[in-house]
Amino acid sequence: MTAPSVAIEPGPAAAFVEKRPLEHYTPPARPSLVGMTREALADALGEAGVPERQRRMRVQQIWQWLYVRGVQDFDAMTTLSKELRTALSERFTLARLEVAAEQISVDGTRKWLLRLPGETAGAPHEVECVYIPETDRGTLCISSQVGCTLNCTFCHTGTQRLVRNLTAAEIAGQVVLARDRLDDWQRAAGAAGEEKRLVSNIVMMGMGEPLYNFEAVRDGLAVVVDGDGLSISKRRITLSTSGVVHNIKRAGEEIGSMLAVSLHAVTDELRDQLVPLNRKYPLRELLDACRNYPGVSNARRITFEYVMLKGINDSLTDAKALVRLLKGIPAKINLIPFNPWPGTIYECSDWEQIEKFSEIVFAAGYASPVRTPRGRDILAACGQLKSASEKLTARERLALRAMAMTD
Ligand code: SAH
Ligand code: SF4
């Protein structure tokens, strides 16, 4: 039998890098240029004494060094004069986000725990960023907030209060960091970059609700999609929302990425419990916003995420209702095996039930609806980043099932 592409291959055990203790944290003394938008960079150049009429050109030069070459040293910016390099290095750094811990799974999945400065010195925050290699792509899952204001009952992040929004630079900075760590700069540059690069796709499915940090997410993603820089196409970026309806249209217009919606229930009664934001924006309003998402079409479908919770939302009646509910919306459906965390009241549906549920969804014309758990060995403590979409044939699914049962 062909092994599923997600099978854990023989190899070294997962690598763990020791977490650096918090007392080793020193907040950055000078701001870093890394992750900055063009506007922020122009202002930074102003501070370094660059006259206004030169700024655009200088921004363009530095942009290439930052986001095409990934340089870590001002001296490598050879198109800038020595004086300007010195002026910049006196005021700024090229520091990356601080990695507090890195874990590498035997299946190649990597997780970075990032330490971000707090509002007050000495009290840093932590968020996660995960890289998931697949056969035809490599997906980076990035965070938008430290914690979350919403409290979806099945989500670990939902148990943590919102600590702060990430800045645009911290959002784009996660992509820069992944390119560094994966040694991906050379591969990513050049005409064939899009096919060769390791980080080919981005999902905003880490910590936080991106549509409650709208401006920073929009500006950070503008850095990521910029064709003269990191150059990751909007079609390869998926923003996941729990259903912040008032910002969905705006996201389509001002960000233009693909959209994923955390649906998880087919009735308002159940969704009110699982995703309390549903009380503000009930299903009908959410689905109307999806129907009208700018640019939605069969080629640009909305992904509906559906976490499989045993005995809660996983009946075959639910599966049929799900298919009926999404009728007429260009949609993909992702069934996500629930990733349990300490203290949760939920369990993941039995694999058999997920299979039966997915057969109904599959029969309605949705391809490969089940997400495959990845990086199990390193993501045990992670709220929601355990899975990535993977095309599975029925045979592969059987193999996976066998694998799941021997776990
Ligand atoms: N706040 C956004 C994006 C972050 S959550 C949102 O809710 O869409 C990313 C995805 O992981 C969402 O679909 C979320 O519902 C799902 N998720 C959260 N906790 C999970 C868990 N314990 N197991 C499986 N999926 C989970
Ligand atoms: Fe926040 Fe998304 Fe978790 Fe809900 S599922 S609590 S919106 S991170």
Side-chain angles (χ1 to χ4, degrees):
M1 188 188 278
T2 328
S5 51
V6 294
I8 294 186
E9 288 159 10
F16 295 94
V17 172
E18 281 301 308
K19 191 169 160 175
R20 290 172 57 193
L22 281 180
E23 55 270 25
H24 287 184
Y25 181 78
T26 27
R30 283 164 292 156
S32 170
L33 297 183
V34 175
M36 278 192 180
T37 60
R38 285 179 182 269
E39 295 72 26
L41 204 50
D43 291 345
L45 286 175
E47 277 179 47
V50 175
E52 191 155 6
R53 59 186 148 62
Q54 280 185 21
R55 282 184 210 158
R56 237 180 106 103
M57 190 250 302
R58 296 286 179 220
V59 165
Q60 185 61 15
Q61 287 174 321
I62 296 174
W63 197 257
Q64 300 254 333
W65 292 114
L66 289 179
Y67 301 127
V68 179
R69 307 289 289 272
V71 301
Q72 308 220 18
D73 186 345
F74 283 109
D75 279 336
M77 299 187 170
T78 49
T79 51
L80 306 185
S81 68
K82 187 121 190 30
E83 293 70 48
L84 179 54
R85 280 185 258 154
T86 308
L88 287 172
S89 62
E90 279 165 359
R91 289 165 187 82
F92 304 100
T93 70
L94 297 174
R96 296 353 204 195
L97 297 173
E98 183 185 331
V99 177
E102 178 181 52
Q103 299 181 340
I104 305 175
S105 160
V106 287
D107 71 5
T109 301
R110 291 185 188 221
K111 182 168 80 166
W112 298 288
L113 185 67
L114 305 176
R115 195 163 283 163
L116 309 175
E119 266 100 53
T120 51
H125 305 309
E126 287 176 345
V127 290
E128 283 175 353
C129 178
V130 176
Y131 173 68
I132 307 153
E134 295 173 76
T135 38
D136 59 342
R137 70 183 67 183
T139 305
L140 188 69
C141 178
I142 64 182
S143 293
S144 57
Q145 298 181 309
V146 183
C148 187
T149 50
L150 302 172
N151 32 28
C152 304
T153 45
F154 56 88
C155 173
H156 192 228
T157 308
T159 63
Q160 306 161 28
R161 64 186 183 88
L162 175 76
V163 178
R164 77 160 164 88
N165 284 326
L166 264 62
T167 63
E170 288 166 342
I171 290 166
Q174 294 173 64
V175 180
V176 172
L177 181 93
R179 282 216 180 145
D180 282 351
R181 294 275 163 163
L182 297 165
D183 200 10
D184 203 22
W185 289 105
Q186 282 214 325
R187 259 184 304 259
E194 217 175 20
E195 272 75 58
K196 289 200 188 143
R197 57 179 62 152
L198 294 180
V199 178
S200 63
N201 292 56
I202 310 268
V203 290
M204 291 222 85
M205 293 186 186
M207 268 186 149
E209 168 49 60
L211 295 189
Y212 274 145
N213 184 15
F214 190 90
E215 280 81 12
V217 167
R218 176 195 61 200
D219 297 349
L221 290 180
V223 174
V224 176
V225 302
D226 191 296
D228 292 329
L230 294 167
S231 196
I232 296 183
S233 115
K234 290 179 183 178
R235 299 283 307 265
R236 290 176 178 270
I237 300 180
T238 302
L239 183 152
S240 176
T241 179
S242 55
V244 184
V245 167
H246 74 271
N247 270 340
I248 288 184
K249 181 162 179 269
R250 206 175 154 210
E253 286 166 354
E254 295 179 34
I255 301 174
S257 63
M258 306 297 280
L259 184 70
V261 171
S262 298
L263 194 67
H264 308 320
V266 292
T267 62
D268 280 320
E269 196 191 352
L270 180 58
R271 199 165 187 272
D272 280 352
Q273 289 173 36
L274 298 179
V275 185
L277 183 65
N278 195 69
R279 294 177 203 150
K280 187 165 177 196
Y281 299 116
L283 279 170
R284 200 179 52 78
E285 284 180 34
L286 175 59
L287 294 175
D288 272 349
C290 292
R291 241 174 239 113
N292 297 317
Y293 184 64
V296 69
S297 69
N298 281 338
R300 297 191 64 206
R301 293 167 190 262
I302 293 173
T303 301
F304 289 90
E305 298 161 278
Y306 196 95
V307 64
M308 298 299 295
L309 303 171
K310 187 173 183 170
I312 304 283
N313 65 354
D314 65 350
S315 74
L316 302 187
T317 313
D318 287 318
K320 288 175 197 153
L322 175 63
V323 166
R324 265 201 312 274
L325 196 65
L326 299 183
K327 216 163 175 241
I329 303 178
K332 290 190 242 179
I333 295 176
N334 260 326
L335 304 179
I336 314 175
F338 171 61
N339 181 15
W341 36 274
T344 179
I345 53 166
Y346 300 108
E347 282 176 74
C348 182
S349 307
D350 295 332
W351 191 258
E352 212 149 275
Q353 190 64 17
I354 298 181
E355 286 261 287
K356 285 188 196 148
F357 195 106
S358 81
E359 291 312 329
I360 292 174
V361 173
F362 186 74
Y366 298 95
S368 56
V370 188
R371 277 192 194 182
T372 305
R374 295 292 307 269
R376 289 165 186 246
D377 49 342
I378 60 167
L379 294 177
C382 171
Q384 63 253 31
L385 299 166
K386 198 176 172 181
S387 344
S389 70
E390 180 85 33
K391 292 195 176 67
L392 294 185
T393 63
R395 272 181 128 209
E396 284 170 336
R397 259 189 269 155
L398 280 174
L400 182 73
R401 178 177 164 190
M403 207 173 85
M405 285 164 59
T406 54
D407 260 359

